[in-house]
Amino acid sequence: PAAIMGLVIMIISVLFFLMDGGKIRDFARQRSFFDAGQTDRLLGALAGTCRSVILAAFVTGVAQSLTFVIFCAFVGKGNLAVIGFMIFIMSLVPLVGSAPVTFTVAIHHFFVIGSGGGIALAIGAFLVATMDNFIRPAILRGTANLHPLLAFLAVFGGLQTMGFAGIFLGPILASLAVTTLAILPPPPVAPLIVPPNS
């Protein structure tokens, strides 16, 4: 229930951000602590990271679907379009992912059709289950300008601390923090006082 409620809140929030995005941007510019250029840089980083998070989820889902469909075609499994679509949809669900679909197909094939194909599909299911750990941080690194370690920690740290919304909010908050640190002036350095020779 909490995940469903979080999803509903996120969908409604996205809807209002799309409808009133210009007003929210203008409000942020007027009330920002930073000057106009710095505020635009922060808003640009926010927009770019949001696009990157959505792109990462989409690309991960497509990659997982195509990979497992190739395994299914290799062993002669039918209904490839249905299996691929279900994997794509389930890949968007945090904490669950595509594993229920891929491992169910592998177990069914193992016990009903043949053990050789079932083992191949189990290997494919394991490969698909681990792809998310590499594809999502790689895309966030390239499009959101996050260091790979920071992108990895942002995705999984956000998931652990904030639950479902953390997959999306973690990278966004990390990108905003990095951008804020980049636009702030460096702290003044105290002059080095050398004691006089005695």
Side-chain angles (χ1 to χ4, degrees), residues 2-198:
I4 293 172
M5 190 63 184
L7 179 62
V8 169
I9 291 172
M10 186 177 68
I11 290 172
I12 292 172
S13 300
V14 168
L15 176 65
F16 279 106
F17 277 122
L18 290 174
M19 288 173 23
D20 297 327
K23 294 177 184 176
I24 295 169
R25 184 181 60 245
D26 293 339
F27 179 81
R29 281 185 178 141
Q30 293 169 1
R31 305 296 191 277
S32 176
F33 297 108
F34 303 106
D35 62 36
Q38 293 172 332
T39 301
D40 287 340
R41 187 171 170 187
L42 274 173
L43 292 175
L46 177 64
T49 307
C50 290
R51 285 191 292 269
S52 299
V53 169
I54 293 170
L55 177 67
F58 180 79
V59 170
T60 301
V62 169
Q64 289 178 329
S65 299
L66 289 177
T67 302
F68 197 72
V69 162
I70 290 170
F71 273 90
C72 289
F74 178 73
V75 300
K77 193 81 175 160
N79 299 321
L80 298 180
V82 174
I83 292 171
F85 179 73
M86 289 178 64
I87 291 170
F88 177 77
I89 295 299
M90 290 300 293
S91 71
L92 302 175
V93 179
L95 299 175
V96 178
S98 59
V101 177
T102 56
F103 283 104
T104 300
V105 170
I107 291 169
H108 174 267
H109 197 91
F110 184 85
F111 287 110
V112 175
I113 298 173
S115 60
I119 292 172
L121 287 178
I123 293 170
F126 179 76
L127 176 66
V128 165
T130 59
M131 288 175 73
D132 188 35
N133 300 336
F134 301 102
I135 295 176
R136 195 179 299 264
I139 292 174
L140 289 174
R141 174 196 176 196
T143 56
N145 296 323
L146 290 176
H147 187 274
L149 177 61
L150 183 58
F152 182 82
L153 292 176
V155 170
F156 294 102
L159 177 64
Q160 183 177 6
T161 57
M162 293 179 272
F164 173 76
I167 287 187
F168 303 101
L169 293 178
I172 292 170
L173 294 175
S175 176
L176 284 178
V178 168
T179 305
T180 302
L181 291 174
I183 66 175
L184 288 175
V189 179
L192 182 63
I193 300 174
V194 179
N197 294 330
S198 53

